[in-house]
Amino acid sequence: MLNGSERNAKKWPSTLEKRLTYISWTLLTVAVSLAMGILIVLRDKNSSNECLSPSCVHSAAMILQTIDATQSPCDNFYKFSCGNYLRESYLQNDKVCLDNHALLHQRIQEQLKIIIESPLSLGAPKPYHQLQKLYNLCMNTTAIEREGIKTAIDIINSVGSCPLLIGSRWNATNFHWSNLVYNLKRVGLNHDHFITLKVSVDERNSSYHILTIEPTQPNFATNSTLQSSVLKHLSKIIRNFGVNTTKSLVELKEVLDFAARLTNLPSYDEQIPLL
């Protein structure tokens, strides 16, 4: 038989047992919490929205190249987001503006140049060979210099006479701008000098098409600096045709002034629905 002290020892755990039990439960709780934390971290890592594909990394690198990290976005967000872009970009003399679309267009042109200048296989499609042949003709500067301005004069005469080139022999009664526009378009030259015609889908009814007629607004018409550059460039061109530069400058200035006045004409938003 057990005496009273022995029965109490069996019924109540000792202080050491209590401490060991407390430590065990504490360690178990810590282990479970740590395991749950690891599972949560792994779950968040697997469900992360970060994109690490080559295209995403490339886009992120392009953004980092444009921002200026030395600027605080809270003080000047424009300098922060575009600082390096403004500092490292260069606007060429023949360009009016520069943006990402222009840079992308320039890069595409450079890539096309490499493709066109690369040797073609004998089995390449016929249009590829024709394109390369036409490109080589345009890049044959030796033949172009040998021909001189003869080709340009032939093209001008085929679309109509130019008053700057023939001077007093030009007869205004035989001129009509619609015939000139038609002939310019026929030979593949720019013909949107007075009006621009374009056909687009009607946003309000996709079963209709809209014929839009709007005035052409040249960039140099409202920019005095660019207008001066255009005037100098045109003067060099007509000098190569043997035209009296002093007299022609007056007429060229009148042409540019006329273009500026055209941009100031009131415009009417009128669209003609086409079936």
Side-chain angles (χ1 to χ4, degrees):
M1 295 181 64
L2 298 174
N3 55 28
S5 60
E6 290 176 344
R7 286 197 300 269
N8 292 334
K10 291 294 184 179
K11 184 176 181 180
W12 302 103
S14 64
T15 303
L16 179 60
E17 290 176 340
K18 290 181 179 179
R19 291 179 178 177
L20 290 175
T21 302
Y22 175 76
I23 293 174
S24 299
W25 279 106
T26 302
L27 292 176
L28 179 61
T29 303
V30 172
V32 172
S33 300
L34 182 60
M36 293 180 63
I38 294 175
L39 291 175
I40 293 174
V41 171
L42 292 176
R43 184 195 63 184
D44 293 341
K45 183 177 180 180
N46 293 332
S47 61
S48 176
N49 293 326
E50 294 182 2
C51 178
L52 300 178
S53 64
S55 58
C56 290
V57 174
H58 179 69
S59 299
M62 291 181 62
I63 295 175
L64 291 176
Q65 290 177 355
T66 61
I67 67 174
D68 185 358
T70 62
Q71 299 290 333
S72 173
C74 299
D75 297 335
N76 193 323
F77 185 78
Y78 181 74
K79 286 186 177 180
F80 167 77
S81 58
C82 305
N84 282 345
Y85 181 83
L86 295 174
R87 187 164 45 248
E88 298 178 3
S89 300
Y90 172 72
L91 182 62
Q92 299 178 1
N93 294 331
D94 60 337
K95 304 297 181 182
V96 179
C97 63
L98 181 66
D99 54 18
N100 288 333
H101 294 285
L103 293 176
L104 180 61
H105 177 74
Q106 180 180 350
R107 185 176 303 174
I108 292 175
Q109 294 298 316
E110 293 173 353
Q111 293 175 351
L112 286 176
K113 183 175 182 293
I114 295 175
I115 294 175
I116 295 176
E117 292 180 347
S118 300
L120 294 176
S121 62
L122 296 177
K126 183 178 179 180
Y128 289 12
H129 289 279
Q130 292 176 335
L131 175 62
Q132 191 174 72
K133 182 179 180 180
L134 179 61
Y135 175 81
N136 292 332
L137 289 175
C138 295
M139 297 303 295
N140 189 353
T141 56
T142 303
I144 293 175
E145 292 294 335
R146 184 172 61 251
E147 289 290 331
I149 62 174
K150 180 180 180 301
T151 303
I153 293 177
D154 292 340
I155 295 176
I156 293 174
N157 291 333
S158 67
V159 299
S161 58
C162 177
L164 279 175
L165 299 183
I166 63 177
S168 59
R169 294 184 290 109
W170 187 71
N171 187 359
T173 58
N174 297 329
F175 173 80
H176 196 281
W177 72 271
S178 60
N179 294 332
L180 176 62
V181 170
Y182 171 79
N183 289 326
L184 289 173
K185 185 177 182 180
R186 176 176 54 83
V187 298
L189 297 177
N190 182 24
H191 56 279
D192 294 337
H193 299 292
F194 295 100
I195 60 174
T196 300
L197 302 176
K198 60 181 180 181
V199 178
S200 58
V201 178
D202 188 355
E203 296 179 354
R204 294 167 294 185
N205 188 346
S206 59
S207 62
Y208 286 85
H209 285 74
I210 296 297
L211 173 62
T212 304
I213 304 175
E214 58 186 11
T216 301
Q217 296 185 352
N219 295 325
F220 61 82
T222 56
N223 189 323
S224 58
T225 303
L226 187 58
Q227 190 178 52
S228 177
S229 300
V230 172
L231 184 62
K232 292 180 180 179
H233 182 65
L234 292 177
S235 301
K236 293 180 180 179
I237 293 177
I238 62 175
R239 190 182 302 119
N240 293 330
F241 283 89
V243 178
N244 186 348
T245 308
T246 304
K247 181 180 179 181
S248 60
L249 278 176
V250 178
E251 297 182 1
L252 287 175
K253 187 64 170 59
E254 292 177 353
V255 171
L256 297 181
D257 292 340
F258 176 70
R261 291 198 301 271
L262 284 178
T263 61
N264 295 326
L265 291 177
S267 59
Y268 301 94
D269 186 11
E270 182 177 356
Q271 295 179 333
I272 304 174
L274 301 176
L275 294 178

